[in-house]
Amino acid sequence: MNYDAAIETALSRLHEEGRYRTFIDVERRCGAFPRAIWRHPDGSEREITVWCGNDYLGMGQHPDVLAAMHEALDATGAGSGGTRNISGTTAYHKRLEAEIADLHGKEAALVFTSAYIANDATLSTLPRLLDGLIIYSDALNHASMIEGIRRNGGHKRVFRHNDVGHLRELLAADDPAAPKLIAFESVYSMDGDFGPIAEICDLAEEFGALTYMDEVHAVGMYGPRGGGVAEREGLMDRIDIINGTLAKAYGVMGGYIAARANLCDAIRSYAPGFIFTTSLPPAVAAGAAASVRHLKTDQGLRDRQQEQARILKTRLKGLGLPIIDHGSHIVPVHVGDPVHCKAISDMLLEDFGIYVQPINFPTVPRGTERLRFTPSPVHEGPMVDKLVHALDALWSHCALNRAEMSA
Ligand SMILES: *Cc1c(COP(=O)(O)O)cnc(C)c1O
């Protein structure tokens, strides 16, 4: 076997399909978010504004979060020193889990090193706990759920995105006695649309299924205490397992599930992705807990984020740009062509110091390539002005379509 040739073939396949990923080297400036330093391939350093980050509320530079992290770092050192089972459980981890359980009104919570791992580990372990489990999965679920569901070799049914009629058909076609679980998201990150939570809960009740919901793009941002869309809609108690991240709106790192105590206990005891890996550094757990705690009361930050999203959408619509608006905080602008999408993104960065990563296949279907903006409370008026003017100019420059709509 010529290993090098095989690896090179795999890489050139990506180049040919235009799917090869190049990472932009950005270093955020604490205290100056969303400003960052871009290390240009030519070796120079340039100041840019990040418009595609997932630190949705700027919590990554919040004084409460930084103070908690400094304190824990000085008190306990860099890493946790072990897995949760072998010397790696600290008061910081336990406090964080208590903070999260309280956030979602659940008996317990379990923290993982990321929400990716939380999804993958939980969904791949549930079939070992519930013999014959059938998992019903929304077609647009995140890769971390798909991987978890696929790996267990259990039964899987994929329902068309947000299509509760299709979900009902699939549920009705299976053995009424079989254990079932419906896995979906509250906010889908690429279109910024919402899952039909109440309808899915109704179906789960009717067919005796458990519900598993990824609130990664909602926690911290929706609901009066940041508990997510389920909190906003008064549905938290109808979701059996809530998954969230500490790395997006909470601005730190880590992921979790919140659920009944016995379920968390079983995942804690059975999931390899929880057991056989070093726990989060105490400083990270402390920062995440401070962030969750802070956002339980800072409704002003949530309001400002929604306001920023509304302003940006209104202004882009006013220019006739084809934005996808489902009323969430995410502002996708449809380009519909991978070459244009990349070109606009390159020009925004090079000529305007505006960083927005092009979103191409396979992250989104071909023909729906887009730029995905994430306005936040730290994106100030002049930054918005600059972005709007730059997009207006580039849309004309590239002779792209404008929608037949006005603000
Ligand atoms: C980002 C993301 C995750 C993974 O979260 P991490 O904490 O970054 O691993 C899970 N689900 C969805 C929908 C996401 O967008």
Side-chain angles (χ1 to χ4, degrees), residues 62-369:
H62 194 282
D64 287 7
V65 174
L66 300 184
M69 293 188 76
H70 282 297
E71 201 178 297
L73 182 66
D74 292 339
T76 72
S80 75
T83 62
R84 286 294 293 271
N85 184 40
I86 307 177
S87 87
T89 293
T90 68
Y92 298 98
H93 297 90
K94 294 203 301 207
R95 242 177 271 144
L96 174 58
E97 287 176 341
E99 202 70 69
I100 293 165
D102 169 74
L103 174 69
H104 293 295
K106 298 293 178 196
E107 289 173 3
L110 205 55
V111 168
F112 299 73
T113 36
S114 72
Y116 184 104
I117 303 287
N119 272 334
D120 180 77
T122 305
L123 289 167
S124 61
T125 298
L126 284 170
R128 294 171 64 194
L129 307 173
L130 304 164
D131 200 28
L133 179 68
I134 305 171
I135 299 182
Y136 302 80
S137 176
D138 186 283
L140 291 192
N141 274 343
H142 189 258
S144 53
M145 283 195 269
I146 296 170
E147 285 297 320
I149 293 166
R150 168 156 73 193
R151 196 147 39 71
N152 61 51
H155 310 288
K156 172 180 87 166
R157 316 268 185 262
V158 177
F159 59 95
R160 289 189 294 271
H161 176 55
N162 278 353
D163 187 339
V164 287
H166 189 210
L167 173 60
R168 164 182 285 283
E169 273 172 37
L170 294 174
L171 286 161
D174 281 319
D175 177 1
K180 300 178 175 71
L181 177 137
I182 306 169
F184 63 110
E185 301 183 21
S186 64
V187 177
Y188 290 85
S189 66
M190 290 303 146
D191 279 356
D193 57 332
F194 294 94
I197 308 174
E199 288 99 318
I200 288 179
C201 290
D202 289 345
L203 282 178
E205 212 168 281
E206 184 180 338
F207 289 92
L210 293 172
T211 47
Y212 183 104
M213 187 164 78
D214 176 319
E215 285 251 42
V216 162
H217 289 278
V219 288
M221 295 174 278
Y222 293 86
R225 296 205 312 153
V229 184
E231 187 196 20
R232 180 182 77 179
E233 296 178 5
L235 296 168
M236 282 199 300
D237 62 332
R238 299 186 70 193
I239 307 294
D240 294 293
I241 306 170
I242 294 175
N243 164 278
T245 187
L246 302 163
K248 291 174 183 171
Y250 290 122
V252 190
M253 187 169 179
Y256 63 84
I257 58 164
R260 293 172 65 91
N262 65 2
L263 196 138
C264 287
D265 194 18
I267 296 297
R268 183 188 72 87
S269 310
Y270 278 91
F274 180 82
I275 299 170
F276 298 105
T277 189
T278 301
S279 63
L280 284 178
V284 170
S291 189
V292 173
R293 200 177 312 127
H294 178 86
L295 286 176
K296 283 178 180 172
T297 55
D298 195 346
Q299 183 58 35
L301 208 49
R302 278 187 279 280
D303 290 342
R304 285 204 294 286
Q305 183 201 24
Q306 292 294 328
E307 181 62 14
Q308 288 290 68
R310 262 194 302 275
I311 290 170
L312 183 60
K313 285 183 205 172
T314 305
R315 293 190 60 181
L316 295 181
K317 275 187 202 172
L319 295 173
L321 297 201
I323 73 161
I324 304 166
D325 186 5
H326 292 284
S328 76
H329 60 286
I330 297 166
V331 183
V333 177
H334 184 264
V335 180
D337 173 272
V339 178
H340 274 131
C341 198
K342 171 89 167 61
I344 292 175
S345 161
D346 287 347
M347 287 187 277
L348 281 171
L349 187 59
E350 282 281 353
D351 304 338
F352 299 92
I354 290 169
Y355 173 39
V356 62
Q357 189 67 25
I359 312 278
N360 286 346
F361 179 82
T363 306
V364 295
R366 290 184 213 275
T368 73
E369 293 81 2

